[in-house]
Amino acid sequence: MAETQLAGRSTTTPKEPRSTALSIEDEAIIIAFRRHTLLPLDDCLYAVQPTIPHLTRSSLRRCLQRHGISQLPNVDGEKPSKKKFKV
């Protein structure tokens, strides 16, 4: 009986992750803008929102994570050196 029940179930995970809120064209605009400007998330949101009015911060973040560009690259020389805490 268990085999029959499992055989009838369909998987709920998509074969290729994609957004339900953003179109493919919207995602392409976001990805190109982020790679070109390397702006932080909020700055990217405020710059792209006039072009894509239904864009939210969470959908932008999910889009960037999906395409592997949610983390900005580290630029050497900008951070102060770390010092040990004196006890």
Side-chain angles (χ1 to χ4, degrees), residues 2-73:
E3 292 174 6
T4 308
Q5 289 176 340
L6 291 176
R9 290 186 184 173
S10 64
T11 58
T12 58
T13 57
K15 293 179 183 177
E16 187 174 318
R18 62 185 184 122
S19 174
T20 56
L22 300 171
S23 68
I24 295 170
E25 294 82 14
D26 292 343
E27 287 198 17
I29 292 169
I30 292 167
I31 294 163
F33 184 81
R34 173 66 173 238
R35 286 188 177 150
H36 181 71
T37 61
L38 296 176
L39 287 174
L41 180 69
D42 289 327
D43 294 341
C44 190
L45 173 67
Y46 298 133
V48 177
Q49 224 167 14
T51 307
I52 308 169
H54 59 274
L55 181 66
T56 61
R57 189 178 191 276
S58 60
S59 62
L60 174 63
R61 184 179 155 273
R62 285 191 302 267
C63 175
L64 296 175
Q65 281 186 326
R66 198 170 27 256
H67 293 281
I69 55 174
S70 61
Q71 293 287 321
L72 290 174

Side-chain angles (χ1 to χ4, degrees), residues 80-86:
S81 61
K82 293 184 179 180
K83 298 178 182 177
K84 289 188 176 183
F85 182 74
K86 294 182 181 180

